[in-house]
Amino acid sequence: MSSPAKALDPAFQGAGQRVGTEIWRIENFHPVPLPKTEHGKFYMGDRYIVLRTISGKGGQYLHDIHFWIGKDSSQDEAGTAAIKTINLDAALGGRAVQHRELQGHESDKFLSYFKPCIVPLEGGIASGFKKPEEQEFETRLYVCRGKRSIRLKQAPFARSSLNHDDVFILDTEKKIYQFNGANSNIQERAKALEVVQFSKDTYHEGVCDVAIIEDGKLDTESDSGEFWVLFGGFAPIGKKVVSDDDIVPEATAAKLYSITDGEIRVEIFVWVGRITQVDERKAAIQVAEEFIKSQNRPNSTRVTQVIQGYETRGFKSNFDSWPSVSAVPAPEEGRGKVAALLKQQGVGLKGIAKAATVNEEVPPMLEGDGKMEVWRIDGSAKTPLPKEDIGKFYDGDCYIILYTYHSGERKEDYFLCWWIGKDSVDDDQKMAAGLTNTMSNSLKGRPVQGRIFQGKEPPQLVSLFQPMLILKGGLSLGYKYKIAEKGFTDDTYTQSCLSLLRISGAASHNNRAVQVEAAARSLNSTDCFILQSGSSVFIWHGNQSTFEQQHHAVKVAEILKPGVTLKHTKDGTESSAFWSALGGKQNYTSKRITSETATDSHLYSFTVNKG
């Protein structure tokens, strides 16, 4: 006789039916939805369930479920978080990828949901701790680590916590200090600055002061003096002490275990068949936790559960081969089978989410691990670009781009195009078209071929260059003759010239760095800009710019001027040196520049009538 129907938790009603992030905190063994304003705040004494929904091919939704474990959380809540994760997966059709995230050891995928980082806070619901906002302000010291995704960890407020290798943030009531260790890298410094700005805007209502302290540069400036006074006065700091967080587990060969009758016979990945019973799914995660303990593996070991037919690329990479096409039922068919299975096992169907189809905001990208070759047109010849210059395009030149990649069962696929700079000469444009056609013929006509004008680059092309830089000037002889005949000076970008680059777009398929006129009127509050004036490089943050743009600006600046000290400047707080480099302060816009509206594709037929 089947057990009484178990209604799915009301907290999950309607979950996963829109693109974005949803979070629940486990409170008294029940999931409670968190408002958007609380996203990114994680109390060390609690456990959370995080659902990430994206739009996949064909319009169906794809889901990742993470359960986050605070280092001070109660073990009594451990089973609840894992079981509720299974219930949420059931509500989504039983095909979500599930991840176990331990505080301080979160995956890059999880951290990417929160910009610029997650904020670990002391306290928690289950432990009865008070929330920080219920207490008087407490000065806190954090260490920032990570180049792509920042991991913020609170450190004891003492000089002994500082070292020369890391970047630290000291958050006081009136001022936030960023201490850059002498041996820290530029990426971590840039990411830490994002955290400082985020903390200022979020926890200080945007009114506190910010100061950058450089390790080893003790001077008479008040910021540096104030910083060291807080630590009892200036004194040498020690070397970095290696902790458990810095130890990278020794790589071991992948092993596959089977779970039968509640006994484990998966180390990191748990593979679940499509018709696996719900009770077995619940037991799998719990047994995996017990396996980690029994094998004396680090508590930070991640556990990822994948469903048959929806295996992740990371899971499949552990096998010598994997079928390119799996016999996976269509989304609606699969959802129906899961619903029937749950009903058979006594689980109520109320709240089973049906993922409505949505229009794809971003078209499918090309495979990102292929071979890229680029040639610049010069007269009747094409010159191959060295690896370090691939991604740099001059608006006075034309280029041929060949991208070779593997797709499905085919041996090789090609994307072939010629790029036309807006100031390029006709002869170079015609030569680019002819040489591209010759190249296509040599590849037996297999490449997808196209002509691309500057400013009209499709997202599939932009995503292949990280970053994509479009600079003023040209290197071809045709372009140089053209400007010489008109009496113009050569404005080709050099490493020592005055230049201003606009950073637009916030994702890999639309972020570009385009050189614009080096004048204040070129600025726009919706974007970031890189200003190079002699040996000085400024990064200007528009008030409406995103953290992704700011991070991308740092990446571009490092490519153009490796090792340079960047001067971060926020919209409205510019120095006189900044305005002087641009020829003086002028009015600039804060309206977003929109691209031309794309129209639907049309197919036309033509009839030629003689006479």
Side-chain angles (χ1 to χ4, degrees), residues 296-564:
N296 294 321
R297 297 180 181 271
N299 192 37
S300 58
T301 301
R302 299 191 191 109
V303 176
T304 302
Q305 180 169 302
V306 297
I307 191 73
Q308 179 185 358
Y310 296 92
E311 296 87 353
T312 63
R313 183 174 298 180
F315 175 80
K316 291 187 288 189
S317 67
N318 290 296
F319 298 85
D320 292 334
S321 61
W322 191 269
S324 58
V325 179
S326 300
V328 182
E332 292 300 324
E333 178 189 354
R335 199 174 293 114
K337 287 186 177 181
V338 171
L341 174 65
L342 296 175
K343 185 175 182 179
Q344 177 187 359
Q345 297 178 39
V347 178
L349 300 183
K350 183 179 179 180
I352 291 288
K354 179 179 179 180
T357 58
V358 297
N359 294 326
E360 289 235 24
E361 296 181 4
V362 180
M365 298 291 110
L366 299 175
E367 292 291 336
D369 54 354
K371 178 184 178 182
M372 173 65 72
E373 298 173 274
V374 182
W375 296 265
R376 178 175 51 81
I377 302 301
D378 198 351
S380 60
K382 64 182 193 294
T383 303
L385 294 188
K387 185 177 180 179
E388 62 271 16
D389 286 340
I390 290 180
K392 295 180 184 178
F393 297 85
Y394 287 95
D395 62 12
D397 290 334
C398 294
Y399 299 82
I400 296 176
I401 301 166
L402 175 63
Y403 183 66
T404 307
Y405 63 101
H406 295 272
S407 177
E409 297 179 350
R410 296 188 62 172
K411 185 176 181 181
E412 286 179 329
D413 275 326
Y414 304 95
F415 175 75
L416 176 65
C417 65
W418 70 99
W419 185 90
I420 301 174
K422 65 181 181 64
D423 290 334
S424 60
V425 298
D426 289 343
D427 289 345
D428 285 350
Q429 296 177 16
K430 294 176 182 177
M431 185 57 64
L435 292 176
T436 302
N437 190 54
T438 300
M439 189 177 296
S440 178
N441 292 336
S442 69
L443 295 171
K444 300 180 180 179
R446 288 179 55 194
V448 174
Q449 188 174 335
R451 177 182 60 177
I452 296 174
F453 289 94
Q454 178 183 337
K456 308 290 185 181
E457 297 85 359
Q460 292 88 346
L461 178 68
V462 176
S463 66
L464 296 177
F465 300 99
Q466 290 301 305
M468 184 176 193
L469 282 67
I470 301 178
L471 307 172
K472 287 182 175 295
L475 301 175
S476 76
L477 291 177
Y479 173 80
K480 292 183 181 296
Y481 287 146
K482 169 186 168 182
I483 63 172
E485 288 178 353
K486 293 185 178 182
F488 296 153
T489 57
D490 186 358
D491 57 353
T492 302
Y493 179 90
T494 64
Q495 290 294 312
S496 60
C497 69
L498 172 66
S499 63
L500 182 66
L501 282 82
R502 174 174 173 257
I503 309 297
S504 61
S508 63
H509 67 276
N510 64 10
N511 52 25
R512 298 176 180 86
V514 181
Q515 189 176 357
V516 296
E517 181 188 2
R521 59 178 173 270
S522 298
L523 299 176
N524 188 314
S525 295
T526 63
D527 295 316
C528 287
F529 289 79
I530 300 173
L531 172 62
Q532 180 179 325
S533 176
S535 60
S536 297
V537 177
F538 300 85
I539 293 186
W540 186 83
H541 299 177
N543 283 333
Q544 301 175 46
S545 64
T546 65
F547 288 119
E548 289 83 2
Q549 287 174 311
Q550 296 166 16
H551 175 64
H552 192 58
V554 172
K555 184 177 180 180
V556 173
E558 178 65 19
I559 291 174
L560 295 175
K561 203 83 170 177
V564 71

Side-chain angles (χ1 to χ4, degrees), residues 89-121:
D89 177 37
L92 298 171
R95 52 191 175 88
V97 179
Q98 299 174 34
H99 314 262
R100 173 182 180 269
E101 307 282 356
L102 187 70
Q103 179 187 338
H105 301 275
E106 297 88 351
S107 64
D108 286 341
K109 185 182 186 72
F110 178 81
L111 294 176
S112 70
Y113 304 158
F114 307 97
K115 300 297 181 184
C117 66
I118 67 171
V119 181
L121 299 172

Side-chain angles (χ1 to χ4, degrees), residues 12-20 22 51-64 88-96 310 330-336 338-339 351-359:
F12 295 145
Q13 298 293 333
Q17 297 190 62
R18 63 183 183 275
V19 172
E22 299 170 76
L51 170 64
R52 182 69 167 186
T53 303
I54 64 173
S55 178
K57 296 180 180 179
Q60 79 272 22
Y61 286 147
L62 302 178
H63 307 284
D64 285 274
L88 175 57
D89 177 37
L92 298 171
R95 52 191 175 88
Y310 296 92
E332 292 300 324
E333 178 189 354
R335 199 174 293 114
V338 171
I352 291 288
K354 179 179 179 180
T357 58
V358 297
N359 294 326

